[in-house]
Amino acid sequence: MNLNTSILQYIDDVKSGSFTVEEFISATIDRINKIDGNVHAYLSLNDSAINDAKLIDKKIISNEKVGKCYGFPISIKDNICITGTKTTCASKILENFVAPYTATVVNRLNNEDAVITGKTNLDEFAMGLTTEFSAYGATKNPWNIDYVPGGSSGGSAASVAANECLASLGSDTGGSVRNPASFCSVVGLKPTYGLISRYGLISYANSIEQIGPMTKTVKDNAFLLNIIAGQDSNDDTTIDNKNPDYLNEIEKGIEGKKIGIIKEMTTADGLSQEVSTATKESIQDFEGLGASCEEVSLPTIPYTVAAYYTITSTEAGSNLARYDNIRYGYEMESEGYEYNSYISKSRTKFGPEVTRRIILGGFVPSAGHAGKYFLKALKVKSKLISEINTAFEKYDYLIAPTAPVQPFRFGEKIDDPVTLMLLDYNTVTANLTGKPAISVPYSVINGLPIGMQIIANSLEEKSLFQAAYALETKTTIPEVPL
Ligand code: GLN
């Protein structure tokens, strides 16, 4: 059975009786058991996956109504809650936390008969870019296991790339869906802020983050967005977007569309030669597809990484204050402690990167410093929004490589937090402005993937998918070697 298939192909095959849901899910679990010791995409598996598959087969056989997903296997980042299952955020502080409720996105998948394979690895609390900050060990890149898979949704991206499921849900605060999508050669979407419910996503920086689908193909991504997008009374930040069909006109093409090539992201110092060359080739592809491309400058971009870390650390400091070792799973012996020392001691369970963010998050918004840091960061955000809105008066899409570099070796950058942060340079703009952005696998050079990023105006996902699909038709990506 070929596990390297798209969701849409899988659904056709199940409908035509080529295999049962149970057969496909069993084969997927066998694959996980065989290779995940090497890849470490998963933190936990869903014990009832086979049972869930059997129930869907039963519905198919007895001609009952079957949900749109027909049992395709999907993994979920381990910062998204599912009732009765561990949700660790790859942190020791949530080692024993069992979620008491299910995220809206997972409910929507279950309602449409998707089968959840398990929970995937991430940088602790989604803070990082390599999964090296997971408290449970890093995920490996299926293209070369000596290299990082990107992050923070590295487990999600690797699970899709290594055929350990057909799709995954990640979360993207500053690039965490798109970056690992680029590093592992899968499609990753960060939707418009408010398009997908965050109910049940453990917050890192809730004013800018979104859950996003990660898939093998652009069409699958649109299919999945159809299932999970839409207003939710449990998340007041969700928008009523009248649920357009993201898939039905996806082959429309981009003839006559105007594309702005973001100058600051394509001429930055940190851009590698390989990524720069791939970007130039992709511009030719876009022109070949009938679009016109020209450079556009958003002069605030050089300040965005600093603003992003100021804003996200502030929100993280507040969001993570709730982990006091009283309510969320981890239990420390209380004998010999008074209240404050007990809380302080239990919070040493956070790893180094999360601790760094919490300390920063206490400092930058504090009374004596807010004007210098937090309020300035908010001004950068407002200015960036106005610049990008002006750009969208003229252009249908903005493009840039998703990441300035290809995947790198483990340990290469972990001791240098600022260098790591600068790798978010091309992705944070979409988060700070709330715009939708997608990473499309573009090429594989020296055995390592490169993804191209397309950004569209708010709620223009339908058009964004058309551009992404058009670009995808121009690419040939080899099979993952694992
Ligand atoms: N690397 C960024 C950070 O550490 C992005 C993380 C994310 O999108 N969750 O904040």
Side-chain angles (χ1 to χ4, degrees):
M1 189 175 297
N2 180 16
L3 295 177
N4 188 11
T5 186
S6 67
I7 297 173
L8 297 182
Q9 184 61 50
Y10 163 90
I11 292 173
D12 279 352
D13 288 344
V14 167
K15 278 184 177 167
S16 67
S18 302
F19 46 75
T20 65
V21 179
E22 185 187 349
E23 281 167 349
F24 196 87
I25 296 296
S26 295
T28 302
I29 291 171
D30 288 348
R31 168 94 181 150
I32 295 171
N33 289 332
K34 192 168 149 218
I35 67 159
D36 208 54
N38 277 333
V39 180
H40 192 39
Y42 284 93
L43 289 178
S44 57
L45 295 178
N46 173 16
D47 297 334
S48 64
I50 299 275
N51 244 352
D52 298 348
K54 282 184 180 159
L55 290 175
I56 300 165
D57 279 329
K58 237 179 167 173
K59 285 198 213 175
I60 297 173
I61 292 166
S62 54
N63 269 330
E64 277 173 61
K65 191 175 180 312
V66 184
K68 293 188 187 105
C69 296
Y70 277 83
F72 81 78
I74 181 166
S75 65
I76 307 287
K77 188 177 183 177
D78 204 22
N79 61 353
I80 298 174
C81 293
I82 304 179
T83 308
T85 72
K86 271 193 182 184
T87 301
T88 67
C89 284
S91 179
K92 286 283 176 195
I93 210 154
L94 289 180
E95 191 166 10
N96 300 315
F97 173 60
V98 174
Y101 69 107
T102 297
T104 298
V105 285
V106 175
N107 277 331
R108 289 186 179 177
L109 287 169
N110 285 335
N111 290 342
E112 293 296 345
D113 284 331
V115 171
I116 313 289
T117 46
K119 306 294 288 295
T120 52
N121 199 13
L122 62 151
D123 290 288
E124 185 176 2
F125 281 98
M127 297 173 193
L129 190 99
T130 62
T131 72
E132 288 166 297
F133 293 127
S134 165
Y136 304 105
T139 297
K140 315 281 169 49
N141 193 318
W143 289 86
N144 184 334
I145 58 171
D146 295 330
Y147 287 73
V148 302
S152 64
S153 317
S156 287
S159 66
V160 177
N163 303 319
E164 297 178 85
C165 55
L166 293 187
S168 189
L169 293 186
S171 66
D172 190 313
T173 313
S176 275
V177 162
R178 289 161 288 153
N179 171 278
S182 169
F183 277 21
C184 292
S185 203
V186 303
V187 180
L189 171 77
K190 196 291 285 180
T192 304
Y193 185 78
L195 190 66
I196 295 182
S197 168
R198 284 179 297 105
Y199 179 73
L201 167 70
I202 295 185
S203 289
Y204 155 21
N206 38 302
S207 77
I208 57 172
E209 69 203 355
Q210 279 287 283
I211 290 171
M214 306 174 82
T215 53
K216 291 171 189 282
T217 69
V218 174
K219 282 187 176 176
D220 281 2
N221 211 284
F223 172 87
L224 201 45
L225 190 66
N226 277 346
I227 307 277
I228 62 173
Q231 201 168 25
D232 175 18
S233 56
N234 283 323
D235 177 357
D236 284 343
T237 62
T238 52
I239 304 163
D240 180 10
N241 191 33
K242 312 279 180 257
N243 301 332
D245 185 339
Y246 296 105
L247 192 55
N248 65 354
E249 288 167 307
I250 201 162
E251 293 185 18
K252 195 170 168 199
I254 51 168
E255 178 92 54
K257 298 283 184 188
K258 291 202 177 78
I259 296 180
I261 306 153
I262 303 177
K263 179 173 167 231
E264 289 73 13
M265 294 183 191
T266 46
T267 57
D269 284 347
L271 198 69
S272 79
Q273 195 50 53
E274 291 78 8
V275 174
S276 171
T277 306
T279 307
K280 288 183 187 128
E281 286 168 9
S282 75
I283 292 165
Q284 285 170 5
D285 286 337
F286 280 121
E287 283 171 344
L289 290 159
S292 61
C293 301
E294 65 183 32
E295 199 170 76
V296 58
S297 171
L298 274 63
T300 298
I301 284 176
Y303 306 97
T304 52
V305 170
Y308 167 83
Y309 279 95
T310 303
I311 292 168
T312 54
S313 299
T314 300
E315 292 186 30
S318 159
N319 280 323
L320 271 57
R322 72 186 63 143
Y323 302 109
D324 53 8
N325 186 27
I326 295 170
R327 291 168 294 180
Y328 295 99
Y330 165 66
E331 262 184 46
M332 190 181 88
E333 185 52 57
S334 56
E335 200 66 43
Y337 293 98
E338 43 69 50
Y339 181 78
N340 283 332
S341 60
Y342 181 77
I343 301 282
S344 303
K345 173 79 180 154
S346 66
R347 283 170 67 84
T348 60
K349 278 273 170 181
F350 286 123
E353 185 61 23
V354 173
T355 303
R356 193 161 26 236
R357 309 282 180 103
I358 292 173
I359 292 171
L360 201 60
F363 177 74
V364 292
S366 60
H369 304 284
K372 222 162 132 195
Y373 301 110
F374 186 63
L375 299 177
K376 257 197 187 153
L378 292 181
K379 280 186 194 161
V380 169
K381 186 179 177 208
S382 305
K383 194 155 185 295
L384 185 71
I385 291 173
S386 105
E387 283 172 14
I388 204 165
N389 283 339
T390 306
F392 280 123
E393 283 170 16
K394 185 162 177 203
Y395 302 103
D396 299 289
Y397 310 110
L398 300 176
I399 59 162
T402 307
V405 295
Q406 288 177 280
F408 42 88
R409 284 177 188 274
F410 286 101
E412 214 175 276
K413 302 194 196 298
I414 192 166
D415 295 328
D416 185 357
V418 175
T419 303
L420 260 188
M421 288 171 176
L422 284 170
L423 296 179
D424 296 322
Y425 193 79
N426 287 9
T427 44
V428 295
T429 289
N431 304 83
L432 290 171
T433 59
K435 305 295 180 194
I438 193 165
S439 180
V440 183
Y442 184 68
S443 60
V444 175
I445 298 181
N446 302 326
L448 295 167
I450 295 176
M452 289 305 304
Q453 178 178 222
I454 312 170
I455 309 175
N457 208 351
S458 303
L459 298 176
E460 292 290 343
E461 273 81 358
K462 203 172 159 125
S463 152
L464 183 62
F465 280 127
Q466 289 164 356
Y469 177 77
L471 183 64
E472 185 183 54
T473 61
K474 289 282 189 182
T475 64
T476 18
I477 307 287
E479 281 228 2
V480 74
L482 195 74

